[in-house]
């Protein structure tokens, strides 16, 4: 394991070439580099180096059957990694890349087994982040990168989060500041009919419908088998998470009463309005932004903060499942699953 993790601040508007070349060199010799994307930080390795990819699983404690998204810097790279690329994939790439849309396609022989967890498909996306793109271009090869967090924890959305999980365990972190989207990419399975959204993200079903016609949510039959990552406990703060309706003072009072007897530390996370429920000594309250885009940017940081504050119980108000609200609620439900 790496004895020291170098943290390098990079200007996201004009990534310094020298710094990017240094990071690419680390990847070239099989190391791990965390870098910002527009969604969350990624933990990157040379996607065509099976040993390097293996190190991602080791560092994260990730189950080996949970495949990793391959990041590319141009649409043309899609054809090296995937076979039988359907026409609709081209349209989606034209419209949404670079951006938070991952496509699942039949894999080519170039992709190592370790990347796909043994599946016959590969997940590919082109991130909308100048540091990520510069890094992939400097390496001259695709970069395999899952979210930069220990398996099961919330995704890192700042370099500080990445260090909480990986200081001393990876070679380098490129610090490009906090990420703009805050939740992971939409994962769209184009290897079957009709196309299915395996993970909701910032690219919504309404965005996809005009280009795809029918698109279904993939959490139904066989959904978790198709996207193994969705099978595992995820986005979990150490605290127990309970979701409640907005402004449901009764439910909050009931929960506070229950945990009060056990003297547990409790937090309430409200949706875009001040907390109006009953008070409790030591109660932590966080009011989330009304704007759902801003909510998405902040949610993982708030869940991580709860860990730092050693909160035992988090009561979170549900939000409207509209637009990116679908992706946020997906993460909240999974944080609450036990
Ligand atoms: P992350 O590890 O946070 O980057 O999440 C990647 C997600 O994409 C996980 O839920 C994976 O299961 C999913 N994924 C990656 N590759 C594939 C694939 N070939 N087929 C289905 N899902 C995939
Ligand atoms: Mg992840």
């Amino acid at each position: 394991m790496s004895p020291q993790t170098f943290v390098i601040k990079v200007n996201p508007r004009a990534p310094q070439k020298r710094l990017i070349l240094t990071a690419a060199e680390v990847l070239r010799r099989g190391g791990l580099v965390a870098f910002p994307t527009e969604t969350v930080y990624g933990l990157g390795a040379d996607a065509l180096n099976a040993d390097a990819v293996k190190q991602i699983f080791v560092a994260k404690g990730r189950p080996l059957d949970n495949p990793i998204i391959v990041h590319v810097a141009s649409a043309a790279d899609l054809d090296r990694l995937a076979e039988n690329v359907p026409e609709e994939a081209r349209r989606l790439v034209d419209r949404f890349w670079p951006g938070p849309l991952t496509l699942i396609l039949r894999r080519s022989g170039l992709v190592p087994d370790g990347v796909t967890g043994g599946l016959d498909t590969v997940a590919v996306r082109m991130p909308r982040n100048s540091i990520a793109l510069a890094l992939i271009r400097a390496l001259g090869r695709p970069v395999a990168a899952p979210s930069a967090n220990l398996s099961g924890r919330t995704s890192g959305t700042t370099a500080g989060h990445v260090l909480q999980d990986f200081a001393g365990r990876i070679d380098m972190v490129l610090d490009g500041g906090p990420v703009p989207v805050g939740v992971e990419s939409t994962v769209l399975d184009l290897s079957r009919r009709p196309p299915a959204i395996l993970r909701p993200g910032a690219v919504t079903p309404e965005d996809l419908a005009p280009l795809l016609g029918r698109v279904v949510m993939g959490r139904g039959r066989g959904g978790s088998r198709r996207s193994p990552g969705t099978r595992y406990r995820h986005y979990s703060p150490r605290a127990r998470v309970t979701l409640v309706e907005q402004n449901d003072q009764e439910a909050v009072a009931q929960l506070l009463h229950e945990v009060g007897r056990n003297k547990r530390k409790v937090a309430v996370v409200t949706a875009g309005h001040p907390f109006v429920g009953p008070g409790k000594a030591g109660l932590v309250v966080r009011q989330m932004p009304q704007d759902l885009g801003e909510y998405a940017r902040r949610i993982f940081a708030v869940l991580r903060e709860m860990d730092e504050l050693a909160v035992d119980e988090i009561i979170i108000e549900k939000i409207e499942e509209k637009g990116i609200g679908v992706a946020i609620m997906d993460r909240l439900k999974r944080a609450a699953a036990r």
Side-chain angles (χ1 to χ4, degrees):
M1 240 358 98
S2 330
Q4 193 181 0
T5 300
F6 291 96
V7 182
I8 300 185
K9 268 202 193 309
V10 184
N11 181 350
R13 275 171 299 282
Q16 296 91 330
K17 202 161 180 190
R18 188 175 46 82
L19 303 179
I20 296 296
L21 288 176
T22 308
E25 193 48 40
V26 173
L27 292 177
R28 187 164 295 120
R29 57 173 179 71
L32 301 185
V33 175
F35 59 92
T37 76
E38 79 280 41
T39 58
V40 300
Y41 272 71
L43 180 59
D46 176 349
L48 306 184
N49 177 339
D51 289 335
V53 169
K54 181 93 195 297
Q55 292 312 310
I56 293 178
F57 288 91
V58 173
K60 285 192 57 138
R62 186 180 177 97
L64 289 172
D65 65 350
N66 189 1
I68 296 180
I69 296 171
V70 179
H71 292 69
V72 297
S74 87
D77 289 342
L78 193 58
D79 292 288
R80 297 177 61 213
L81 301 166
E83 275 169 9
N84 305 330
V85 177
E87 186 45 40
E88 59 204 350
R90 315 269 175 208
R91 291 200 297 270
L92 292 167
V93 163
D94 277 349
R95 169 74 183 76
F96 294 107
W97 280 15
L101 177 66
T102 296
L103 302 179
I104 309 281
L105 297 160
R106 296 264 151 242
R107 65 186 273 201
S108 77
L110 192 67
V111 185
D113 282 339
V115 170
T116 69
L119 297 175
D120 56 2
T121 52
V122 62
V124 188
R125 99 172 178 102
M126 179 173 170
R128 185 189 287 277
N129 178 288
S130 56
I131 296 172
L133 292 173
L135 180 64
I136 300 164
R137 288 193 182 116
L139 178 65
R141 292 154 78 97
V143 172
S147 54
N149 53 274
L150 294 174
S151 191
R153 295 202 71 199
T154 54
S155 302
T157 53
T158 66
H161 297 161
V162 177
L163 284 171
Q164 283 174 355
D165 286 7
F166 294 113
R169 308 180 65 171
I170 62 175
D171 298 288
M172 187 175 283
V173 181
L174 298 181
D175 181 356
V179 298
V181 175
V183 291
E184 305 84 348
S185 60
T186 303
V187 176
L188 178 70
D189 188 351
L190 287 179
S191 72
R192 60 163 159 169
R193 302 287 109 195
I197 294 175
L198 302 184
R199 176 174 75 185
V203 174
T204 64
E206 302 85 71
D207 296 329
L208 294 169
L211 285 92
L212 278 184
R214 196 162 121 76
V215 53
V216 298
M217 293 303 286
R219 278 297 159 66
R221 242 174 338 118
S224 69
R225 193 158 24 86
R226 288 189 167 273
S227 189
T230 58
R231 196 167 52 218
Y232 299 106
R233 191 169 149 77
H234 222 116
Y235 312 116
S236 316
R238 292 187 191 95
R240 189 174 76 151
V241 175
T242 305
L243 302 183
V244 297
E245 299 301 327
Q246 284 185 35
N247 294 313
D248 188 346
Q249 290 188 41
E250 223 169 282
V252 175
Q254 175 66 30
L255 283 162
L256 290 180
H257 176 71
E258 281 169 25
V259 297
R261 279 188 317 220
N262 307 324
K263 295 203 177 55
R264 290 157 67 85
K265 188 163 179 184
V266 188
V268 176
V269 178
T270 74
H273 57 78
F275 177 58
V276 290
K280 174 185 182 320
L283 181 69
V284 176
V285 175
R286 290 293 173 271
Q287 178 181 339
M288 297 303 283
Q290 208 140 48
D291 178 88
L292 290 184
E294 275 170 47
Y295 190 122
R297 262 195 287 291
R298 282 195 48 199
I299 182 59
F300 286 150
V302 167
L303 292 178
R304 269 182 186 260
E305 183 197 8
M306 297 305 161
D307 279 352
E308 279 156 49
L309 296 173
V311 166
D312 304 295
E313 180 91 28
I314 314 173
I315 301 166
I316 306 181
E317 284 188 342
K318 295 179 188 171
I319 56 162
E320 196 185 353
E321 290 183 76
K322 212 179 73 188
I324 198 169
V326 176
I328 299 169
M329 273 302 288
D330 170 74
R331 307 318 188 259
L332 292 180
K333 285 177 197 162
R334 291 171 61 190
R338 41 185 110 104

